[in-house]
Amino acid sequence: MKPFRLLFSLILAAIIFVGFTPNAWGFCGFYVAKADAKLYNQASQVVLARDENRTILTMANDYQGDVKDFAIIVPVPVAIQKEQVRIGDAKVIERLDAFSAPRLVEYFDSDPCRRILYRSREGLSTDLPRPVAPSRRADANALGVTIESRFNVGEYEILVLSAKESNGLATWLKQNGYRIPRGADRLLQPYIRQQMKFFVAKVNLGEFNKSGYQNLRPLMIAYESRKFMLPIRLGTINSTNEQDLIVYVLSPKGQAEVTNYRTVKVPTGDRIPVFVKNEFSDFYKSMFQTSYTREGKNIAFLEYAWDMGSCDPCSAEPLTPEELKKAGVFWLKPDKGSNAFISRIHVRYTRNKFPEDLMFQETSNREQFQGRYVLQHPFKGEATCRAGQEYKRSLPRRFEQEARTLAQLTGWNIRDIRSKMNVVSSNYSPNPNPTPFWQDIWGE
Amino acid sequence: MLKDARDYQILFLSLFLVLGIGTRDWTLHPEFILVAIATCCLTQWVAASLKYFIEVDNKDARDNGNTEGLIDTKNLADVFNFSLVKPAFRSAIITSLGLSLLLRVDHCSTMVLAGAIAISSKFIFKIKDKHFFNPANIGIIAVLVLTQDAWVSPGQWGEDWWYLLLFAGTGGLIVKKVGRWDTTAAFLGAYALLEAIRNFWLGWTWDVYWHRLMSGSLLLFALFMITDPRSIPNARISRYLWAISIALLTFILRNYFFIPTAVFWALFALAPLTIVFDSIWQAPRFSWQETSPSFTENLTLDLAIAPKSAPQMEREKSQVG
């Protein structure tokens, strides 16, 4: 009895402790800007193509600052050699984004007096991610830092470091011109002790200018490790806000999920007022924020899960085998079709709600899922038959339901929604003065 | 109130299922729950009946040399008395609810396989009439290994404090009722200690540590799975050792082999230790039924001193659980 009580109070104590300890945290790497430029990485896109222990990681790079200030430090599970690093194609990430983005679907009510159905589709791609960070060169020294490899790939100069002590590594980085955020050295230690290596990339200006590209291109790293994770902790050092990370996990098996946080599907399939068509981005952002808050801010959202051979409705054409290869899918065999399953996982993280790096697992779950929102256009024409009149009478209730759904999903004010709807739907608002219920049997 | 701790267990596990489906956004198909329950109950019934027939046969053979015809008649009547098998359905339902809570599958057939293996294991992997694998656990491990479409979602509960309180409260009630709080405490204590040492050594902030411990799945495991009083060691000292070994193996598998489902593998791998510990430290075996003191004494004596000669009635009881 006593030990039980003790156990119970220990658990309780633990909960209280966790619940009331305020703290703050981010993606793979942190910006190490030079000079005093304060850089914040607010959103990142990562592609993880994974089969068993083999992974190809692609980090999208939409870094907007001066490229000479760009550098990134990413903890990686194993040492990386030159052959394991490639330049990716930014277009492929755009394609993945477009293919998996939450979508609007439009349906048009048919003439209730003549039942013919047709529909059109439309997919909208939401805007997403952001990039990475900077570095400078240095020599190996007595700080316990070992340069595992050093090479150039495209416009990037890459260093792979291992270290014995975080202080040594931090000092080395500083001495070599990398500006690391305050508090970073303490955060480097857990990675060092887990025998992880540090992948440091910065831009070789000569190569960059020669390449003629306007923007930095994605970096791809291939490695073999049981660890199926993304280090987000370092990225929270230089970002005080909520950060968005979109992970596209490509797997031959099925859905991927986060194992150390809850993976939740975004609300989907709801019928919303047609005016949202013109403000879908706002709608999605508000809806995402509302769900995120409602779920406690410590969850990962599944936005899309689909076999990449098809889509329905398609917001973009499925990727070709060529494009999949560019996205890192390495297990495709000719004649075997595109055996790749995509999971789009959207994580909005902060330091205090995501203390631990993201751990993933692939499952054999091949259930398909998509974030999909339905616009149902009412029939606009004349409908004088009996069915038509009933149809028109049913519309106000339907509009009200759509308004409520929208308000609930987004947290928007229902009055605003109603007034917007009236503007848009006044054309076919069938009857501004609803018919009294008795009229059907008693007449006027 | 409910007399049998298993009734509470069924109640609570059903509650978790309802809560999980209602609030946790699981990819859980209600039909799979029905399939799991049906499979487990059917397997339990078939296996228990088979076992009963075999035992009666053997006994008949032994008794043929005897002149005590009375026993034969009694057994013959018992063969048709299915009430002897009935009580075990509770355990079968608990197993099926456990499977439904933890295991995710794409096809019904996989759930059928898991349920059948889970329940059969009680009749196959046993020594001195005591099964040593946790049925739900072996069912999960079996389909993870044997099929392509099974998985476990360790993150499915998240780490909401009110779930943790709910698990701690309901689980605490049950382990207290069956007197197995020592196992939960030893497991959680040892695991928490190991994780604390690692966290300190790595230099993570302590919220990382709490986040790792505050997983609903871990707590559910500690309170509802490793406390099954029928399959875990009988003596308290052996339960301590057993639970600590599982905590240690879980810790190693999770942190050095990066297996998200480490707890289930650890329990599976170490379950056979029960036999070893039971042979070193003897103690009366747990029985679900609340029996009269005199009977309990007999039972204790039989099991502790001469398990083979335990009365027929006790052997029937051991199908339970």
Side-chain angles (χ1 to χ4, degrees), chain A residues 1 3-4 7-8 10-12 14-15 17-18 21 23-25 186-187 189-191 193-195 225-228 233 253 255 257-266 295-296 298 351-353 355-357 359-367, chain B residues 23-27 29 104 106 148-161 164-165 168-169 171-173 175-176 181 184-185 188 198 200-208 210-212 214 219 223 254-261:
Chain A
M1 186 63 204
F4 167 69
L7 171 74
F8 193 83
L10 272 180
I11 292 169
L12 196 68
I15 291 161
F17 183 80
V18 174
T21 307
N23 261 317
W25 309 123
R186 245 180 302 132
L187 262 192
Q189 184 184 320
Y191 297 103
R193 297 223 161 145
Q194 289 177 84
Q195 323 259 295
S225 166
R226 285 170 163 277
K227 268 193 176 178
F228 189 9
R233 239 335 253 284
K253 276 177 81 184
Q255 271 187 30
E257 61 182 29
V258 180
T259 59
N260 56 347
Y261 297 93
R262 210 150 67 80
T263 310
V264 176
K265 290 176 182 141
V266 286
E295 297 285 357
N298 57 354
R351 165 66 182 81
N352 59 341
K353 291 289 184 177
E356 210 187 350
D357 289 333
M359 309 291 293
F360 296 87
Q361 75 171 0
E362 40 186 348
T363 72
S364 47
N365 184 4
R366 293 189 75 88
E367 210 168 72
Chain B
T23 69
R24 300 277 89 164
D25 193 62
W26 289 350
T27 42
H29 303 277
R104 297 286 169 269
D106 280 338
Q148 295 296 315
D149 69 328
W151 73 99
V152 170
S153 294
Q156 68 178 6
W157 287 104
E159 51 275 341
D160 284 345
W161 61 271
L164 301 177
L165 273 184
L173 188 76
V175 291
K176 187 178 148 253
W181 56 265
T184 301
L188 282 181
R198 177 175 182 271
F200 178 75
W201 179 73
L202 287 179
W204 279 128
T205 44
W206 288 98
D207 51 353
V208 177
W210 290 114
H211 178 255
R212 292 174 75 81
M214 290 294 107
L219 206 58
L223 286 159
R254 182 170 174 191
N255 292 311
Y256 298 95
F257 292 88
F258 311 107
I259 300 174
T261 47

Side-chain angles (χ1 to χ4, degrees), chain A residues 25-36:
Chain A
W25 309 123
F27 169 60
C28 290
F30 49 79
Y31 286 114
V32 275
K34 284 174 41 173
D36 274 332

